[in-house]
């Protein structure tokens, strides 16, 4: 099999959207005849975003007759490096990757096998990938945080609970959040990165105890949202919450009329999973692919959560159905 050249990256470096890499019916039939095998390795599998991303990849692989080897690193960079190197040794035709740490994964990206790779979250420091898959992370956090700030009148104290992943998309989330806060009249009282929902619960509890007059908290990923909301509910204080990632627990809170949850920004994970495989297939067919594929985030609030569920969870029964 002659793989698409990474020279395609230099030929077309423009920004693209998911629809730009969608395969035609003729291209799908060609791909189906090639008996391809792809690796699909993620940094974890603990939230809806990753599982929906995988679902988008698995459904697309099934539609295209591609064997998809799915693995996850459980936030262990060394394990992920070993797993991806194993995929390279197995001579898969392409790899879709969500990295734990860009620096740690670079040796697997700089490989002599010529295997085409798509990465989620930002470009690696070494080596070339076919394209980078991103949500509009900065815009999503900025929009959701500003909505939260506006809802509390633009003043008071606010804390941030984030995630310590070494990915550019995570830095974009924090930057969007902090820009929204700095443009407001709110006082930032702390930014705490956490790995787990329990850690988020503890971090939010500490913020609340240290700041009894805390007005709001913004959480930049799903488990931070869940842990923070639990801390707010338990505190008895009227603290409002906004976040980035719109997952089942958030939709359930909106449907239950939770008085503290104000805004979420949802990533279209199924769309990203499909677009990543589409881009790899385009390259294998010898077509150029843009250096970055962007999928917009969607603001979710108490006013639109039911419609947004259908956008973010296509084909999945809603919790209130």
């Amino acid at each position: 099999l002659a793989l698409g050249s990474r020279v395609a990256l230099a030929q077309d470096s423009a920004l693209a959207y998911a629809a730009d890499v969608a395969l035609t019916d003729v291209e799908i039939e060609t791909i189906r005849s090639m008996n391809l095998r792809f690796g699909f390795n993620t940094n974890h599998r603990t939230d809806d975003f990753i599982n929906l991303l995988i679902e988008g990849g698995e459904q697309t692989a099934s539609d295209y007759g591609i064997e998809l080897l799915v693995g996850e690193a459980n936030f262990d960079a060394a394990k992920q490096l070993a797993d991806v190197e194993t995929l390279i040794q197995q001579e898969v035709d392409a790899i879709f990757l969500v990295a734990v740490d860009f620096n740690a994964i670079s040796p697997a990206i700089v490989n002599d096998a010529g295997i085409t790779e798509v990465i989620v979250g930002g470009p690696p420091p070494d080596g070339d990938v076919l394209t980078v898959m991103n949500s509009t992370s900065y815009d999503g956090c900025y929009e959701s945080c500003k909505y939260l700030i506006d809802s509390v009148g633009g003043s008071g104290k606010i804390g941030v609970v984030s995630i310590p992943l070494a990915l550019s998309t995570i830095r974009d989330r924090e930057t969007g959040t902090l820009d929204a806060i700095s443009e407001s009249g709110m006082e930032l009282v702390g930014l705490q990165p956490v790995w787990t929902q329990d850690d988020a619960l503890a971090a939010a509890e500490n913020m609340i105890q240290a700041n009894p007059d805390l007005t709001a908290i913004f959480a930049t990923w799903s488990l931070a949202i869940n842990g923070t909301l639990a801390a707010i509910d338990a505190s008895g204080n009227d603290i409002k919450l906004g976040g980035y990632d719109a997952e089942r627990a958030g939709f359930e809170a909106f449907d239950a009329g939770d008085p503290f949850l104000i805004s979420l920004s949802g990533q279209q994970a199924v769309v990203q999973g499909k677009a990543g495989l589409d881009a790899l297939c385009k390259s294998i067919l010898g077509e150029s692919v843009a250096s970055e594929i962007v999928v917009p985030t969607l603001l979710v609030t108490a006013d639109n959560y039911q419609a947004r569920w259908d956008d973010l969870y296509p084909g999945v029964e809603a919790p209130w159905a």
Side-chain angles (χ1 to χ4, degrees):
L1 174 66
L3 294 178
S5 171
R6 290 179 180 173
V7 174
L9 183 62
Q11 294 173 342
D12 185 1
S13 59
L15 186 72
Y17 293 90
D20 298 325
V21 294
L23 270 61
T24 66
D25 290 343
V26 171
E27 288 172 332
I28 292 172
E29 287 307 309
T30 301
I31 288 295
R32 290 186 63 85
S33 71
M34 299 174 80
N35 298 316
L36 298 173
R37 187 170 53 146
F38 288 1
F40 198 110
N41 193 275
T42 66
N43 49 18
H44 68 103
R45 197 166 184 173
T46 61
D47 63 23
D48 287 356
F49 170 76
I50 290 294
N51 287 311
L52 286 166
L53 186 76
I54 294 170
E55 179 181 318
E58 288 180 331
Q59 183 58 59
T60 304
S62 176
D63 292 343
Y64 296 177
I66 298 170
E67 180 184 357
L68 196 66
L69 307 180
V70 177
E72 59 94 12
N74 194 27
F75 293 121
D76 185 333
K79 178 183 185 301
Q80 184 168 57
L81 176 60
D83 289 347
V84 175
E85 287 178 337
T86 297
L87 290 171
I88 292 169
Q89 292 167 6
Q90 292 174 332
E91 298 182 345
V92 295
D93 298 300
I95 296 172
F96 185 109
L97 178 65
V98 187
V100 175
D101 184 293
F102 283 154
N103 292 305
I105 203 63
S106 286
I109 293 173
V110 184
N111 68 84
D112 297 326
I115 294 173
T116 307
E117 297 168 337
V118 164
I119 194 165
V120 173
D126 298 301
D128 294 326
V129 293
L130 172 69
T131 190
V132 174
M133 176 74 61
N134 270 325
S135 292
T136 50
S137 302
Y138 176 94
D139 293 342
C141 275
Y142 180 90
E143 182 181 31
S144 181
C145 189
K146 188 175 186 307
Y147 192 95
L148 169 68
I149 290 168
D150 289 345
S151 76
V152 299
S155 62
K157 295 181 177 180
I158 186 170
V160 177
V161 182
S162 63
I163 184 171
L165 276 175
L167 305 175
S168 63
T169 186
I170 300 302
R171 292 192 294 272
D172 287 345
R173 294 185 195 185
E174 289 191 1
T175 302
T177 302
L178 296 177
D179 281 355
I181 293 171
S182 67
E183 292 171 10
S184 73
M186 300 200 75
E187 176 189 350
L188 178 64
V189 298
L191 189 157
Q192 181 63 54
V194 298
W195 282 115
T196 69
Q197 186 165 317
D198 287 342
D199 289 343
L201 172 64
E205 286 176 338
N206 290 338
M207 283 185 184
I208 294 168
Q209 290 171 5
N211 302 277
D213 55 346
L214 190 65
T215 304
I217 300 177
F218 191 84
T220 69
W221 71 296
S222 58
L223 299 187
I225 293 168
N226 298 345
T228 299
L229 188 57
I232 292 172
D233 285 338
S235 74
N237 296 348
D238 184 18
I239 300 168
K240 305 305 184 184
L241 173 67
Y244 183 93
D245 277 343
E247 304 206 340
R248 179 179 290 270
F251 281 95
E252 291 173 346
F254 278 130
D255 194 59
D258 189 292
F260 307 117
L261 183 62
I262 301 299
S263 61
L264 298 173
S265 183
Q267 302 183 73
Q268 299 185 72
V270 173
V271 175
Q272 289 189 52
K274 178 182 184 299
L277 263 66
D278 282 345
L280 291 168
C281 289
K282 287 280 190 183
S283 178
I284 286 172
L285 293 171
E287 299 183 37
S288 64
V289 176
S291 60
E292 184 175 8
I293 300 171
V294 175
V295 178
T297 55
L298 302 174
L299 182 67
V300 183
T301 70
D303 294 329
N304 70 3
Y305 72 92
Q306 291 188 346
R308 284 291 187 247
W309 175 272
D310 294 334
D311 295 327
L312 299 173
Y313 288 78
V316 179
E317 185 176 68
W320 50 85

